[in-house]
Amino acid sequence: DLDECAASPCKEHQYCLNTDGSFSCKACDASCVGCTGEGSEKCKTCASGYVKEDEKCTDIDECNLPEKVCTKENQDCVNTSGSYKCVCSEGFEDTDGTCVQT
């Protein structure tokens, strides 16, 4: 078997998996910018919104940072994978970018 992966045939956001007589390109973990294999521990660098922790790229919980990320009145922060979103608190709805009581 020829190791086609030695020639790095895959794109930047993929890793190469050598198979018998061939190869396949697999997508890197969402937490990675470039990778050497499967999973968040094989990242070359961590994607935006992730931090290297215990050799793995783990999600940053922006909602628990000391500096508030959702600064509008009556707004709550919801952590998402690699990011966050600001939503109106319960009993409020978004009207032209302002959370008003329903």
Side-chain angles (χ1 to χ4, degrees), residues 59-79:
D59 177 52
I60 296 168
D61 186 351
E62 292 85 357
C63 299
N64 281 332
L65 295 175
E67 199 172 304
K68 277 186 83 153
V69 288
C70 296
T71 54
K72 288 184 182 170
E73 214 174 328
N74 305 311
Q75 206 175 47
D76 296 328
C77 181
V78 177
N79 188 51

Side-chain angles (χ1 to χ4, degrees), residues 1-6 9-10 15-26:
D1 176 47
L2 176 72
D3 185 1
E4 295 87 355
C5 293
C10 298
Y15 66 94
C16 187
L17 195 64
N18 188 48
T19 57
D20 205 17
S22 188
F23 73 96
S24 62
C25 294
K26 302 278 188 185

